[in-house]
Amino acid sequence: MEPIRGVREEFGDLAGRFGAELVQYAFTRGISFHDAQDIVQRTFLKAWDVFQSGARPENPRAWLYRIVLHEASNERRASNTRRRARSILAGRDSSPPAEPAVTEEFRRTLDAVQALPPPYSESIALHYLQGLSIEETAAVLEIPSGTAKSQIARGLTLLRSKLHPLQGEEKSP
Amino acid sequence: MTCQEARALLEQSSVEGALPAELTSHLEACAACREEQRRSVEILRQLHAARESLDDLRPRFEETSARAFRRAMTGGLPAVGSSWTRVRAAASLLIIALPVFWFLFTRALPPTPGGSRPQEDRVRKLIELLKDPAPEVRARAQDDLLDVGPSAGPVVKSALAGTSDLEVRSRLSQIAAVYRCQEVLGNDGGRRFGMAGGPVEKLRRLVEFLEGHSPRQLKDRDKEVLTEELHRGATREDQLRLIELYATPRDKGAPWGDEAVAREYAWVLPPLLGHPDSEVVLRGVVALARLGGLPAIPSDASRPALSARIADLLDSKNRTLRLSALEALGRHLKAEAEAPRIAPILEDPDPELRKAALAALGRLNAKRFSVDVARRLKDPDPAVRIAAVDVLRDWRAKEFIEAVAALLDTPGVEVRAHALTALGELDARAYAPQMAQALSEKSAPVELRVGALKGLRGLRAVEYIPDVVAQLQAPEGFVRALAVDVLGAFGARDRVGLVEDRLRDPDAMVRVFSAQTLAVLGVPGSKTALERALGTEQDPEARVAILEALRSFGK
């Protein structure tokens, strides 16, 4: 059996290397800072379970991204419950981290990316906002590189009609 | 080049960067496509700017990640020191703020005669405003009702019972939930935990609250209060009930949400591990293990003490507790030091306990008790004999080959099957003929044939390939699949044609194993058979197996 301290250190290295970009990714998927922390915490818990079992993912970065992606989609599904929960606990919340001040253009771009249909939105966010290569994006989404490339291209077209519609061009939903 | 073609190329080039020459010349000639290109460039600029803004936020992301990591690795347990500081600060603030708040509140009320009537009237007016056509008025009214607090509960409840308006009902039920939450968690009077009643009563009401709500509604401060409550003399039954709530996912009937949610709230359990009642400790360990929260318990100091307390339960008169303690010691806590307290249970009159003790010793790799384990090969209960065989097999305890082989002459088919498999794993080549014989007997039960196939696989007894091949025609799909797997383990490249034939087996599992085995054997000619099979294969798992096999051939 591997000594637990060694595994913990190894896991700590991994978390240190990719943790910030995972929070960033959750944030770009429309999750608040407060909930992004929860999501990444759950991601670490799941990953730690796997690490403890002795298994090591081939591509840890893509693997962690996939867990965040899954957790973020659960989070969005549960958003109605959470909104209610927030209203229930309104005024009693200890001190959720303040959302950062961002520029109007940044917010508009992020909103537009989030509003794209899921496959395009995820590809665009991973490639342009997270700075992953096409191959890395494909690895996270578990799709061939060619598919990732065409999703990104299609996503850009949709984004164009959303952010800079031509006169008479219908805004995409 | 048409505009449509140009735009397709433009779409492609926006990802790849470089503009093809033919597109450049088209753009020079076509103003509409140039405009399209300008918009593309603008989008890329915006995405680039967004990336830079995200880079600026990097310190925040790092800080949040570090906090998430700390909480994940401590099971989300709040730090007691900071909790106390915050609670003390909040209490001081409330003591100062409460009279001021009360003064302002009473002044805000309309001067209506009649004792508690002013508040009741105000609440009724606010409830009326929940029907206002302006959404901001409705939202404001809801906020104001929340500010009034649980004392408005009876009026809100009666209004809820008397309205059929869906939105009003929804708002009122949310408000009623807030009031209950405030009552339970004590936000209603400035006292530390607010509500009347002792800790037992609080916990009971808390459990009722939790049963009706998602734990996502709880925030950090609530967690701290709850943890504190659990420490303070709640009844044992309530604590056990709470543990069950945390540990049981919805599919087992608990109203607790899915397992992921329960895991998120495993923080509440570690404090229970110091409980004076060992049963509470045991249930806490099992629940924590189920939720993946055990890593939060330090392995160096706390675990031995915890294991020792759970080992005390091995002497309990409660059979279920003893079984659960054996599982916790063997599976969850890996309590090697407790093996001497487990070993005597091998002689217990209850066969279930003997079996559980064998499993625990096996998991603890307690080989110093191998003689005691081997003694159980003669146990009157066949399930105990099987458990003993499996432990000796896992330990590769070759010194007991003869004792295991003696089981081949006993009546139980399953025991004999496990013995054959174990003999293979123990490398007892002398028993290969008996394995082959089990395969060749037409009337041999399926369990025995499976045990024999596994035994031969363990021995890598390639001289018995014909006996294995004969099992490719077995009536049971899983026997055929196992036979295919054994041929792969033998590296029987000269039988590759037979494995390829199994790609057309009526059972999809056999086709999956065949594809995997062809990849293992790696005979280049199999690629054609795999490609042909891919053309007709409908089963998704088999298709995946075939594709993976083809990939291993370099496709």
Side-chain angles (χ1 to χ4, degrees):
Chain A
M1 206 171 74
E2 260 181 290
I4 190 96
R5 210 172 290 279
V7 179
R8 197 180 272 259
E9 274 166 14
E10 187 191 348
F11 185 67
D13 286 347
L14 189 77
R17 213 149 22 111
F18 301 122
E21 66 179 279
L22 295 177
V23 177
Q24 175 180 316
Y25 182 49
F27 179 69
T28 60
R29 306 312 295 132
I31 309 287
S32 70
F33 249 91
H34 188 228
D35 294 338
Q37 178 183 316
D38 283 353
I39 283 178
V40 174
Q41 182 181 331
R42 287 201 295 274
T43 301
F44 285 152
L45 266 174
K46 285 187 173 169
W48 173 239
D49 271 0
V50 173
F51 254 65
Q52 276 212 307
S53 72
R56 295 291 179 274
E58 204 174 299
N59 183 344
R61 190 187 193 194
W63 173 65
L64 288 171
Y65 264 97
R66 274 199 296 278
I67 304 180
V68 172
L69 190 64
H70 178 73
E71 291 292 332
S73 88
N74 282 349
E75 185 69 26
R76 275 194 295 274
R77 269 203 297 278
S79 62
N80 286 338
T81 317
R82 291 186 76 90
R83 266 200 293 279
R84 206 179 67 233
R86 284 208 189 90
S87 81
I88 283 177
L89 295 164
R92 299 192 315 100
D93 203 334
S94 45
S95 56
E99 293 300 312
V102 292
T103 63
E104 178 57 29
E105 185 189 69
F106 174 73
R107 178 49 60 200
R108 218 155 45 87
T109 310
L110 220 55
D111 287 347
V113 172
Q114 284 157 16
L116 291 174
Y120 309 120
S121 174
E122 279 147 16
S123 306
I124 293 272
L126 287 167
H127 184 54
Y128 288 106
L129 302 179
Q130 294 299 111
L132 267 58
S133 67
I134 302 267
E135 287 69 29
E136 287 168 329
T137 302
V140 172
L141 300 176
E142 294 183 296
I143 52 176
S145 297
T147 310
K149 202 185 283 183
S150 60
Q151 280 183 1
I152 292 168
R154 180 78 192 126
L156 284 176
T157 307
L158 291 173
L159 210 53
R160 207 159 57 211
S161 48
K162 189 174 275 293
L163 285 172
H164 301 285
L166 287 175
Q167 224 168 15
E169 187 176 56
E170 203 184 327
K171 275 197 177 190
S172 14
Chain B
M1 175 181 282
T2 64
C3 284
Q4 199 179 357
E5 286 166 340
R7 285 175 193 193
L9 268 179
L10 200 58
E11 188 171 290
Q12 201 181 330
S13 66
S14 59
V15 183
E16 288 168 353
L19 287 183
E22 65 267 37
L23 178 60
T24 317
S25 49
H26 178 87
L27 289 175
E28 280 166 11
C30 175
C33 288
R34 268 205 310 280
E35 171 59 15
E36 197 71 18
Q37 187 205 15
R38 189 197 60 74
R39 289 161 70 215
S40 282
V41 171
E42 177 56 19
I43 287 295
L44 291 174
R45 187 204 60 76
Q46 268 181 259
L47 285 169
H48 185 68
R51 180 78 208 280
E52 283 179 347
S53 300
L54 286 167
D55 286 345
D56 293 342
L57 293 172
R58 185 80 183 181
R60 288 286 308 273
F61 294 135
E62 276 170 1
E63 180 195 325
T64 308
S65 159
R67 205 177 309 131
F69 180 70
R70 269 199 310 278
R71 296 175 73 93
M73 300 310 283
T74 55
L77 194 64
V80 175
S82 63
S83 144
W84 269 104
T85 313
R86 270 183 280 164
V87 168
R88 274 208 306 270
S92 319
L93 198 65
L94 276 169
I95 288 165
I96 297 164
L98 203 66
V100 179
F101 173 77
W102 182 250
F103 174 73
L104 292 173
F105 177 67
T106 47
R107 277 184 56 111
L109 291 174
T112 320
S116 65
R117 294 288 301 171
Q119 175 171 311
E120 202 176 306
D121 288 348
R122 179 166 179 257
V123 169
R124 287 188 200 288
K125 279 180 191 163
L126 288 171
I127 292 173
E128 275 304 305
L129 287 176
L130 291 177
K131 298 174 193 161
D132 195 279
E136 61 275 14
V137 173
R138 299 200 296 271
R140 178 64 199 268
Q142 181 172 355
D143 288 345
D144 288 349
L145 277 168
L146 288 172
D147 287 342
V148 175
S151 58
V155 185
V156 166
K157 273 186 201 164
S158 99
L160 184 61
T163 180
S164 55
D165 183 310
L166 281 180
E167 187 185 328
V168 174
R169 282 189 70 80
S170 157
R171 287 185 186 273
L172 286 175
S173 57
Q174 280 181 31
I175 293 164
V178 174
Y179 290 165
R180 276 197 75 193
C181 186
Q182 287 176 346
E183 277 181 342
V184 172
L185 297 169
N187 217 33
D188 58 340
R191 279 180 293 163
R192 185 151 167 244
F193 294 112
M195 56 181 278
V200 174
E201 174 62 15
K202 280 183 203 172
L203 190 79
R204 182 158 291 127
R205 292 171 69 180
L206 173 66
V207 169
E208 281 169 10
F209 175 79
L210 290 173
E211 281 172 342
H213 291 81
S214 158
R216 287 181 182 277
Q217 294 173 356
L218 301 178
K219 295 288 178 188
D220 289 351
R221 206 187 125 229
D222 306 329
K223 294 179 186 178
E224 289 166 18
V225 177
L226 292 185
T227 311
E228 177 110 11
E229 289 302 317
L230 284 163
H231 279 302
R232 291 149 57 101
T235 65
R236 182 174 171 280
E237 284 65 33
D238 278 337
Q239 284 177 323
L240 293 177
R241 195 171 153 207
L242 193 64
I243 292 172
E244 281 306 307
L245 259 180
Y246 278 98
T248 317
R250 174 167 286 176
D251 60 359
K252 291 184 184 162
W256 197 237
D258 59 21
E259 196 163 345
V261 175
R263 286 166 65 104
E264 192 184 340
Y265 287 86
W267 54 267
V268 82
L269 296 167
L272 294 177
L273 301 181
H275 197 278
D277 184 331
S278 293
E279 185 182 346
V280 175
V281 177
L282 170 65
R283 296 231 198 147
V285 165
V286 174
L288 258 183
R290 215 181 293 166
L291 297 173
L294 271 183
I297 304 170
S299 54
D300 43 1
S302 312
R303 285 203 190 200
L306 205 58
S307 304
R309 293 204 46 203
I310 289 178
D312 289 342
L313 293 170
L314 295 175
D315 303 324
S316 162
K317 287 181 182 160
N318 181 333
R319 177 176 179 269
T320 313
L321 263 187
R322 294 177 76 196
L323 285 170
S324 191
L326 283 168
E327 191 181 357
L329 292 169
R331 185 196 292 268
H332 305 315
L333 292 167
K334 304 272 184 277
E336 288 91 348
E338 301 304 330
R341 295 176 75 178
I342 296 172
I345 299 175
L346 295 176
E347 306 294 336
D348 195 279
D350 184 334
E352 276 299 309
L353 280 164
R354 296 199 298 277
K355 201 171 86 174
L358 280 167
L361 289 172
R363 288 197 181 102
L364 296 176
N365 208 19
K367 291 182 180 171
R368 58 198 151 133
F369 296 103
S370 56
V371 172
D372 305 85
V373 170
R375 203 174 298 131
R376 300 275 46 100
L377 292 173
K378 292 182 179 169
D379 196 283
D381 188 287
V384 177
R385 295 202 295 277
I386 288 174
V389 169
D390 290 349
V391 170
L392 293 171
R393 178 200 66 203
D394 291 346
W395 286 354
R396 299 283 188 273
K398 291 190 178 187
E399 64 273 30
F400 297 106
I401 284 178
E402 293 304 320
V404 171
L407 291 174
L408 297 177
D409 300 324
T410 57
V413 170
E414 283 197 31
V415 179
R416 275 153 54 209
H418 277 256
L420 284 173
T421 305
L423 288 168
E425 299 283 325
L426 294 173
D427 204 21
R429 299 198 71 81
Y431 295 94
Q434 276 174 268
M435 295 171 195
Q437 192 190 346
L439 290 181
S440 60
E441 278 176 18
K442 281 195 176 159
S443 58
V446 63
E447 295 89 344
L448 213 55
R449 282 185 280 133
V450 168
L453 278 171
K454 288 182 180 172
L456 287 172
R457 183 177 60 189
L459 292 173
R460 294 186 63 83
V462 292
E463 62 273 31
Y464 294 101
I465 283 181
D467 300 277
V468 175
V469 165
Q471 292 305 313
L472 292 175
Q473 305 303 326
E476 305 87 357
F478 61 91
V479 176
R480 296 198 298 277
L482 182 57
V484 166
D485 183 58
V486 175
L487 289 175
F490 284 178
R493 291 166 69 95
D494 55 332
R495 307 299 169 116
V496 73
L498 294 171
V499 179
E500 287 171 6
D501 288 346
R502 288 297 107 207
L503 287 172
R504 294 192 296 276
D505 194 283
D507 189 324
M509 179 172 56
V510 180
R511 302 199 295 275
V512 169
F513 270 77
S514 302
Q516 289 168 347
T517 300
L518 289 173
V520 169
L521 293 175
V523 177
S526 302
K527 198 174 158 187
T528 318
L530 284 164
E531 282 168 343
R532 202 178 313 122
L534 188 64
T536 55
E537 183 60 67
Q538 298 292 318
D539 182 84
E541 277 186 50
R543 283 188 69 81
V544 169
I546 292 171
L547 282 167
E548 281 177 359
L550 280 169
R551 199 172 302 138
S552 78
F553 281 98
K555 181 170 179 174

